[in-house]
Amino acid sequence: MTYYLGIMSGTSLDGVDIALTDIHSNQTKLIAADFTPMPANLREKVTALIQSGETTLQALGALDHQFGFLYADCVNAFLRKHELKPEQVEAIGCHGQTVWHSPKSQFPFTMQIGDMNLLAAKTGITVVGDLRRKDMAFGGQGAPLVPAFHQAVFFDPNWATVVLNIGGISNISLLIPEQPVIGFDTGTGNALLDQWIEKHQGKAYDKNGEWAASGQVNPDLLAVLLDEDFFQLPPPKSTGRELFNLAWLENKIQKITGKTTALLPQDVQATLAEFTVQSIVLALNNIQTTLPCRLLVCGGGAKNQVIMNGLKQALLNWRIQLTTELELDIDYVEAAAFAWLAYRRMHNLPANLPSVTGATSAVSLGAIFPKE
């Protein structure tokens, strides 16, 4: 077996996903996976940094160091649990923690923290990191990168397949036979839902969408939320917490003050869940194909029954499945993707899709950090 580890800590800031994969001849099999909750102090620091967009060099460097150690601790604990030796793993593909993503600014850039040198040194395993900036150097948005992996594992010539990942931000990959692969962010996923329930109930997330289910969708608020320029942009496009955050939400709520009765917190939560659904449906409505359509859902939002029920009601002619039904656990698709990206880099194979990111050419992504 040829093992690669993938590490993902995403915009939801819930924790660190690790996926152990066996990859050969571009075939990927998930062997084992684990999740480590995000330490509260790191979650608070990153959230504050993303919301303010301001920090000091000292604070940023310290966070970079702390995330390097966090990833290393997670990997070493994973190896002990599964009785693996470092030399059995060819490489780690580590996404790092995104703190800012600005592909459309005057000087486009994306920033992921987590010292990859520390990760390699503390685990004794070669690391592939800094996976987005090569695509941006070739004119792409550096995101999303996962559609190339989706194409490798989920493409079916008999279906118009859309892979939907509902993380902090929702993104889709369109795998339609005889059409270029397209992938882009559709808007918020769990990010606003998580921030709203944390503010009002002190919980990290809305388990199974239970709090959202207790509220009522407010049409006025939903309309204001959907009135955002991002939704009118054509792909390729990507976004993050630098746009969809608590300050953005509260500004939207203020716009309907006086036009409706006072909003109950649970009604805002219900509206946010519907907002996630409608932003996804908006993107899917543009698909043109004569083939039957199927939606493969993964990510933490796949456990939110309000979101899943909303998708089923809005997409009556679609087959909707969880990726777990295709032997890839909904919680670890992205982590497995970064293991695959590490495999591609170690073999110097292209890993981006210009039709997805807007890059001028397909290139091998990431920098290699040797174990010694």
Side-chain angles (χ1 to χ4, degrees), residues 108-126:
F109 75 96
T110 187
M111 182 178 290
Q112 288 76 39
I113 59 174
D115 189 336
M116 300 297 150
N117 291 288
L118 266 179
L119 176 57
K122 298 301 179 182
T123 61
I125 302 172
T126 294

Side-chain angles (χ1 to χ4, degrees), residues 239-313:
T239 189
R241 284 176 178 251
E242 63 276 359
L243 172 61
F244 294 109
N245 53 49
L246 203 55
W248 177 88
L249 172 60
E250 290 172 341
N251 181 59
K252 293 288 189 178
I253 291 174
Q254 288 178 3
K255 289 186 176 182
I256 66 167
T257 301
K259 297 181 182 179
T260 184
T261 56
L263 290 172
L264 297 173
Q266 63 267 33
D267 291 346
V268 174
Q269 188 77 349
T271 306
L272 289 174
E274 184 62 19
F275 174 49
T276 293
V277 171
Q278 290 303 319
S279 59
I280 293 166
V281 172
L282 277 174
L284 298 183
N285 283 342
N286 294 321
I287 293 175
Q288 296 182 350
T289 180
T290 57
L291 289 171
C293 296
R294 65 172 182 167
L295 185 67
L296 305 181
V297 188
C298 59
K303 300 175 184 177
N304 187 310
Q305 293 306 306
V306 174
I307 292 176
M308 291 302 295
N309 289 338
L311 289 171
K312 290 174 183 177
Q313 292 170 11

